[in-house]
Amino acid sequence: MWATLGVFGAGSGNVPPFLLNALCFGISGSLAALWLVSSGKFALLRQPVKVWIFGTAGLFGFHFFYFTAIRNAPPVEANLINYTWPLLIVLFSAYLPGEKLRAHHVLGTVLGLGGAALLISGGDGIRFSGGHAIGYGAAVASSLFWSSYSVLSRRLGKVPTEAVAGFCLMTAVLSAACHLMLEQTVWPGDALEWGSVFALALFPVGLAFFTWDIGVKRGDIQVLGAAAYSAPLLSTLLLIAFGFGALTLSVLIACLAITLGAVIAAKDMIFRKGGGKSAV
């Protein structure tokens, strides 16, 4: 679902980032809240204040610092720094109870990072230039926010995934406030752009966060971290398929690196004795 972010984002026109964030999280949070009401689960939103702060800080903090990064640093470098979050998830997971970080987890994730760097740079190399300290710092912050949120979610396993609906609504409110303070309003211009906004709200800026919550709480978090590098790869392939890019040698090499990295990181799960049954 996160891989569709590029295609649907391109289809949303010139809507500024914080307004787009407010629209998408507002739609996804509202739809999720309506589902909770209709299913009699609305009471699941009654969580301690610290849970609300944690969840909102994770979703909004990541997006706030990411948007700040791409506004104050070259997008290629900002994206590369931001995309260290899967690697940080794997490294931070070593501090979780019952988890053990092994060399193949790190190797697989580093391969994925290398593939992501190749995709983001287009094979032209990365050049960190001076004068962009704020942007680079914001990119580091965005990576730390999302990796910390993902790993610490494991410690909040008793908090139901349905609570993410509340986090989405709070993120929408804060994003709307940032839009009013920082941006000029540009609404989607036609049915295609509005359709793209709704598609974003349903999938990469909606359901994806609920499924991610399930994954980090119940799945193999090291494998999830390494496999997360498939998002920029699949996004690039989708953009190519819809005519927004070209299939190049660097894309093919990145595909190989990311796929190989994910297989290496997941080797215990893939080649587990006993017919490959999952222990999750």
Side-chain angles (χ1 to χ4, degrees):
M1 287 184 280
W2 279 334
T4 64
L5 190 63
V7 170
F8 292 142
S12 65
N14 296 316
V15 182
F18 282 113
L19 176 56
L20 186 61
N21 219 40
L23 290 171
C24 293
F25 275 110
I27 293 169
S28 61
S30 297
L31 290 175
L34 288 173
W35 179 79
L36 291 176
V37 170
S38 65
S39 59
K41 297 181 178 181
F42 192 76
L44 292 176
L45 292 182
R46 296 173 184 168
Q47 299 295 325
V49 174
K50 65 179 183 180
V51 171
W52 278 85
I53 293 174
F54 169 78
T56 303
L59 268 63
F60 175 73
F62 167 73
H63 289 88
F64 174 83
F65 283 111
Y66 177 71
F67 293 149
T68 301
I70 60 176
R71 283 168 176 244
N72 292 278
V76 170
E77 286 90 336
N79 268 302
L80 178 61
I81 295 171
N82 171 70
Y83 252 107
T84 58
W85 65 258
L87 176 62
L88 293 179
I89 285 177
V90 173
L91 297 178
F92 291 167
S93 69
Y95 297 98
L96 289 172
E99 298 291 345
K100 188 174 182 180
L101 185 61
R102 300 183 183 278
H104 65 274
H105 294 136
V106 177
L107 175 60
T109 311
V110 169
L111 269 174
L113 177 60
L118 191 57
L119 277 177
I120 293 168
S121 67
D124 295 328
I126 303 294
R127 302 175 187 87
F128 292 101
S129 54
H132 300 291
I134 293 176
Y136 293 151
V140 171
S142 69
S143 180
L144 286 171
F145 260 79
W146 191 247
S147 56
S148 299
Y149 168 79
S150 298
V151 172
L152 291 174
S153 290
R154 188 81 157 210
R155 304 296 296 267
L156 300 176
K158 293 183 180 180
V159 176
T161 294
E162 287 82 354
V164 175
F167 307 158
C168 288
L169 289 173
M170 289 301 298
T171 298
V173 171
L174 293 174
S175 297
C178 286
H179 165 66
L180 293 174
M181 292 186 292
L182 302 171
E183 297 176 333
Q184 182 178 352
T185 300
V186 178
W187 295 103
D190 53 31
L192 175 62
E193 292 184 2
W194 275 110
S196 296
V197 170
F198 275 93
L200 285 167
L202 290 176
F203 300 110
V205 192
L207 188 58
F209 290 105
F210 292 85
T211 55
W212 182 253
D213 187 77
I214 294 171
V216 295
K217 287 178 179 176
R218 305 179 191 175
D220 187 322
I221 197 164
Q222 285 107 351
V223 173
L224 279 175
Y229 282 117
S230 64
L233 170 63
L234 294 174
S235 179
T236 300
L237 295 178
L238 280 173
L239 288 169
I240 291 171
F242 282 89
F244 292 104
L247 186 62
T248 64
L249 179 61
S250 64
V251 171
L252 293 174
I253 296 173
C255 180
L256 178 62
I258 291 171
T259 303
L260 181 60
V263 170
I264 291 173
K267 78 177 187 66
D268 292 340
M269 186 172 66
I270 297 173
F271 303 108
R272 183 178 287 116
K273 294 180 180 179
K277 295 180 180 179
S278 175
V280 175

